[in-house]
């Protein structure tokens, strides 16, 4: 089955019934890949995204029309190595732990096998090395190789670290944060095209907050649709979200905008008289693990587009994607690498003041 351009993210459902209706609508729309995890929508071992997805796809002929996936993490969801949490799939450090979580996902989704299995929330080389140690995550997934067809990795690392993960030759897909206001990992796309690895873009609406601006929402989805070898992982929460995504897909040629034209319109919306960060990512890596480009995208939208949701979303997403401007030690490395010669010392201080207020 060829992977559809738009994929079904199963992390934003309200309840079992709305999940069922939304998943059926999405598969009927031709979206044929479901991404879920042990922790999404988790309230109990029987009430969570995996069991809801399992119920929905095992009705009628839906299972035969969709690719199924699962994942678990050698880390703690952030930058560290966590303690083993079987219910939510974090801290999977040994082959035995992987087998336990893997079988739990099969059972919850009521499947015999996954099309894809992912090394999840692996953001640092320390986490990847932990997963690669003898008797660790990778050995565990190899032991289960008759129960999955393809292996992927899901990460918020910077471009160079992601390419180092992919150079292992282990993965057929990589899932990364990528959207029209956070293009800091575009270097990954070129590597993946050369090496036949599919890119799955998570956070297509920057964690949802771009949805509060109608035109940016449309441009955000059209931007990712316009990129070659990129699939959009959209966290649907209702049937209307599916209909909107289908409309975007069906009207791409009618809309007729090139990637450059889409970006130019986004730039005109995020209008500023001052030099501002364009989210290119050339300043990475920061020794403090800060993703300067991603952080400043929230700052730009809050400051220049007056989007209150940018600030809220920045604060909510502190644990992921390197949005820890409060950890900046003013080393000056990002300023020295920025091709736009931005006065980053001043900008980062102002962004901290504004976004943490
Ligand atoms: S601070 Fe400069 S180098 Fe870093 S993402 Fe922004 S524009 Fe690019
Ligand atoms: S100045 Fe701050 S954000 Fe920039 S590289 Fe140094 S610690 Fe990171």
């Amino acid at each position: 089955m060829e992977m559809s351009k738009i994929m079904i993210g199963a992390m934003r459902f309200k309840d079992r019934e709305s999940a069922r209706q939304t998943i059926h609508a999405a598969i009927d729309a031709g979206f044929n890949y479901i991404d879920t995890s042990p922790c999404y929508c988790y309230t109990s071992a029987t009430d969570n995204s995996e069991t809801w997805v399992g119920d929905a796809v095992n009705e009628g002929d839906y299972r035969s029309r969709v690719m199924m996936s699962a994942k678990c993490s050698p880390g703690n969801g952030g930058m560290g190595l966590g303690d083993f949490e079987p219910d939510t799939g974090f801290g999977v450090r040994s082959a035995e732990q992987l087998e336990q979580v893997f079988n739990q996902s099969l059972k919850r989704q009521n499947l015999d096998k996954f099309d894809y299995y992912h090394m999840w929330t692996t953001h640092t080389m320390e986490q990847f090395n932990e997963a690669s140690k003898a008797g660790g995550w990778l050995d565990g997934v190899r032991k289960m190789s008759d129960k999955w067809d393809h292996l992927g990795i899901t990460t918020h690392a910077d471009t160079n670290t992601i390419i180092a993960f992919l150079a292992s030759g282990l993965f057929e897909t990589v899932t990364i944060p990528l959207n029209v206001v956070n293009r800091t990992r575009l270097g990954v796309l070129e590597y993946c095209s050369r090496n036949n690895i599919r890119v799955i873009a998570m956070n297509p609406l920057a964690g949802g907050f771009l949805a509060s601006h109608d035109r940016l929402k449309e441009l955000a989805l059209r931007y990712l649709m316009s990129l070659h070898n990129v699939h959009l992982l959209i966290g649907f929460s209702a049937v209307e979200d599916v209909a909107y995504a289908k409309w975007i897909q069906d009207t791409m040629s009618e809309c007729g905008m090139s990637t450059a034209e889409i970006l130019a319109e986004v730039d005109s919306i995020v209008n500023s008289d001052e030099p501002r960060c364009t989210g290119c990512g050339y300043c990475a890596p920061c020794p403090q693990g800060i993703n300067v480009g991603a952080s400043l995208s929230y700052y730009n939208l809050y400051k220049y587009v007056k989007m209150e949701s940018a600030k809220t979303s920045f604060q909510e997403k502190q644990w992921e994607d390197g949005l820890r401007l409060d950890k900046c030690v003013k080393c000056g490395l990002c300023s020295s690498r920025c091709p736009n010669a931005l006065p980053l010392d001043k900008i980062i201080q102002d962004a901290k003041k504004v976004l943490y207020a």
Side-chain angles (χ1 to χ4, degrees):
M1 195 185 300
E2 188 59 25
M3 198 178 257
S4 56
K5 182 83 174 170
I6 293 178
M7 299 172 149
I8 307 164
M11 72 292 284
R12 295 185 191 278
F13 298 131
K14 294 184 198 83
D15 52 38
R16 190 180 298 265
E17 181 53 25
S18 69
R20 177 182 165 276
Q21 290 175 16
T22 307
I23 290 167
H24 288 178
I27 298 173
D28 289 339
F31 307 156
N32 68 5
Y33 181 102
I34 301 186
D35 174 274
T36 181
S37 88
C39 86
Y40 294 161
C41 313
Y42 183 89
T43 52
S44 73
T46 53
D47 222 10
N48 54 70
S49 169
E50 286 194 304
T51 57
W52 299 347
V53 164
D55 283 356
V57 300
N58 284 297
E59 269 186 52
D61 68 347
Y62 283 105
R63 174 67 189 98
S64 66
R65 293 195 273 147
V66 70
M67 288 183 273
M68 302 296 290
S69 72
K71 53 197 179 188
C72 69
S73 175
N76 62 356
M79 298 291 172
L81 297 169
D83 293 330
F84 183 42
E85 294 175 25
D87 281 345
T88 50
F90 292 112
V92 177
R93 313 270 288 276
S94 71
E96 293 71 31
Q97 291 169 345
L98 182 126
E99 191 171 346
Q100 181 182 338
V101 175
F102 191 108
N103 283 327
Q104 171 184 273
S105 290
L106 277 179
K107 191 169 170 214
R108 286 184 186 173
Q109 296 190 45
N110 193 12
L111 301 172
D112 300 325
K113 185 175 182 176
F114 294 115
D115 298 283
Y116 281 81
Y117 203 74
H118 298 270
M119 184 186 285
W120 183 37
T121 62
T122 304
H123 309 319
T124 66
M125 208 32 98
E126 184 195 19
Q127 292 170 330
F128 185 73
N129 290 339
E130 175 70 14
S132 309
K133 73 181 183 189
W137 195 102
L138 275 170
D139 277 349
V141 90
R142 286 185 187 111
K143 264 175 69 182
M144 307 298 286
S145 60
D146 58 335
K147 292 185 176 165
W148 53 267
D149 288 332
H150 308 279
L151 197 61
I153 184 165
T154 299
T155 175
H156 291 239
D158 63 68
T159 299
N160 290 341
T161 307
I162 294 171
I163 289 174
F165 296 159
L166 298 178
S168 67
L170 291 163
F171 305 110
E172 292 179 59
T173 65
V174 60
T175 306
I176 55 172
L178 176 64
N179 59 62
V180 76
V181 294
N182 179 6
R183 306 190 294 273
T184 55
R185 297 174 181 87
L186 277 183
V188 173
L189 271 54
E190 194 193 325
Y191 180 90
C192 288
S193 287
R194 274 191 277 114
N195 291 281
N196 205 21
I197 297 168
R198 288 177 190 272
V199 178
I200 301 174
M202 62 173 139
N203 295 337
L205 295 173
F209 86 87
L210 291 179
S212 64
H213 187 292
D214 285 348
R215 189 60 183 159
L216 279 177
K217 177 184 175 186
E218 180 178 342
L219 292 170
L221 296 188
R222 293 208 186 281
Y223 167 70
L224 291 173
M225 286 294 295
S226 76
L227 299 180
H228 171 67
N229 193 36
V230 171
H231 299 261
L232 290 71
L233 181 58
I234 303 182
F236 296 122
S237 59
V239 171
E240 299 77 59
D241 301 338
V242 174
Y244 184 80
K246 179 85 168 57
W247 171 72
I248 291 282
Q249 179 173 274
D250 291 348
T251 54
M252 278 306 287
S253 17
E254 192 183 310
C255 148
M257 291 175 84
S258 66
T259 308
E261 287 166 339
I262 293 167
L263 292 178
E265 187 175 341
V266 171
D267 268 352
S268 73
I269 294 171
V270 190
N271 193 10
S272 126
D273 294 336
E274 303 158 25
R276 67 174 170 82
C277 173
T278 52
C280 66
Y282 291 134
C283 50
C286 156
Q288 293 294 98
I290 299 166
N291 185 333
V292 178
S295 304
L296 294 183
S297 72
Y298 291 83
Y299 171 69
N300 288 339
L301 288 163
Y302 182 76
K303 184 165 178 179
Y304 301 119
V305 192
K306 313 291 177 217
M307 286 175 74
E308 188 65 35
S309 56
K311 184 162 124 181
T312 327
S313 186
F314 175 85
Q315 291 177 357
E316 283 170 3
K317 292 170 76 66
Q318 280 290 289
W319 58 273
E320 65 177 44
D321 208 18
L323 306 181
R324 292 301 305 270
L325 288 178
D326 57 324
K327 286 189 170 179
C328 175
V329 292
K330 303 185 185 175
C331 71
L333 267 175
C334 52
S335 299
S336 68
R337 295 175 186 144
C338 178
N340 297 339
L342 295 176
L344 285 172
D345 188 23
K346 183 170 161 288
I347 292 175
I348 288 173
Q349 293 318 307
D350 191 46
K352 273 167 65 175
K353 204 164 79 191
V354 166
L355 293 172
Y356 288 109

